[in-house]
Amino acid sequence: GENVEQHPSTLSVQEGDSAVIKCTYSDSASNYFPWYKQELGKRPQLIIDIRSNVGEKKDQRIAVTLNKTAKHFSLHITETQPEDSAVYFCAAGPSTDSWGKLQFGAGTQVVVTP
Amino acid sequence: GAVVSQHPSRVICKSGTSVKIECRSLDFQATTMFWYRQFPKQSLMLMATSNEGSKATYEQGVEKDKFLINHASLTLSTLTVTSAHPEDSSFYICSASISVGEQYFGPGTRLTVT
């Protein structure tokens, strides 16, 4: 099955700087790569996603890049703000065995200091 | 759009009792819903995949007789934790799928078993 590794586990950045989180996946059949932001005690929120027919996607301060050959994808946050502080999860899928399962990375705790 | 509700948000129950958690897609029909468990500072652990009108598919190591899942309609799935024990205390989150891969999460249910 799919295996997703996510790095780093924690990331501290100063307000205004950029943050980059990287994920690798193992299943070459995966074709959907979402990123979720989860604040403490809250639900994971889909912030951006990318499909395998696209190499890069941008939405304001957030961008995701995908390298299918190397099987890795990254989240880029520019001009970070304190409200960007949260845990970010990458995911890959869907699983080919059934029903669109996603495999999640372990998460990255991002702390933006003013 | 893509709003998922979950009820209750918090529940405290005594050891040996059963607890039912509801997951609803409010503004879309979800053919597939997923149930996750999340421990503090950890990633989302998929418990089972729920499809309307059919039996749920459980992940390895998840006891299907303990975690009963019913997907009665395209907008409602329920998870019943039977004979709960303190080790079942956790944050349970459901998600609903609009299209294959894309998942939107409910707000979660904090279960505490005393």
Side-chain angles (χ1 to χ4, degrees):
Chain A
E2 178 65 274
N3 182 49
V4 176
E5 294 194 357
Q6 183 173 347
H7 298 281
S9 56
T10 59
L11 181 58
S12 292
V13 295
Q14 281 218 300
E15 183 177 359
D17 288 349
S18 295
V20 180
I21 304 169
K22 298 182 179 181
C23 288
T24 60
Y25 62 100
S26 61
D27 188 350
S28 56
S30 290
N31 59 17
Y32 177 64
F33 307 92
W35 286 89
Y36 289 87
K37 175 184 179 181
Q38 187 179 29
E39 297 176 12
L40 190 63
K42 302 284 182 64
R43 77 182 83 195
Q45 298 264 20
L46 178 66
I47 56 172
I48 196 166
D49 57 12
I50 191 167
R51 295 192 183 267
S52 60
N53 57 347
V54 176
E56 183 174 356
K57 184 176 178 181
K58 191 173 180 180
D59 182 4
Q60 299 183 340
R61 296 186 297 109
I62 294 173
V64 57
T65 58
L66 170 65
N67 183 326
K68 279 213 74 181
T69 304
K71 294 208 216 48
H72 66 70
F73 57 111
S74 300
L75 177 72
H76 304 252
I77 307 173
T78 59
E79 299 172 30
T80 53
Q81 300 168 5
E83 51 264 37
D84 294 328
S85 296
V87 178
Y88 292 79
F89 293 100
C90 64
S95 167
T96 53
D97 56 0
S98 65
W99 307 113
K101 286 194 300 186
L102 294 175
Q103 183 67 43
F104 285 81
T108 298
Q109 174 76 61
V110 173
V111 177
V112 180
T113 52
Chain B
V3 179
V4 178
S5 71
Q6 201 172 327
H7 179 81
S9 57
R10 289 178 180 271
V11 59
I12 301 172
C13 71
K14 294 195 173 187
S15 190
T17 61
S18 295
V19 172
K20 181 185 280 190
I21 302 169
E22 290 189 350
C23 178
R24 293 181 185 272
S25 56
L26 297 185
D27 53 358
F28 65 99
Q29 293 185 329
T31 53
T32 306
M33 289 184 174
F34 302 85
W35 288 95
Y36 294 86
R37 185 172 179 177
Q38 187 176 36
F39 291 105
K41 297 190 177 182
Q42 292 192 23
S43 188
L44 299 153
M45 184 189 81
L46 180 65
M47 299 174 65
T49 303
S50 167
N51 293 286
E52 186 263 339
S54 62
K55 289 185 179 178
T57 303
Y58 290 82
E59 294 299 300
Q60 195 172 7
V62 177
E63 298 175 60
K64 63 179 181 181
D65 294 330
K66 181 168 185 61
F67 298 99
L68 300 178
I69 291 171
N70 184 281
H71 196 148
S73 75
L74 287 174
T75 59
L76 174 64
S77 177
T78 60
L79 168 68
T80 302
V81 182
T82 62
S83 187
H85 288 99
E87 56 265 30
D88 298 324
S89 299
S90 190
F91 192 51
Y92 293 87
I93 313 178
C94 70
S95 72
S97 184
I98 287 180
S99 58
V100 174
E102 222 169 302
Q103 293 183 28
Y104 292 88
F105 285 85
T109 297
R110 175 77 58 193
L111 170 63
T112 303
V113 184
T114 61

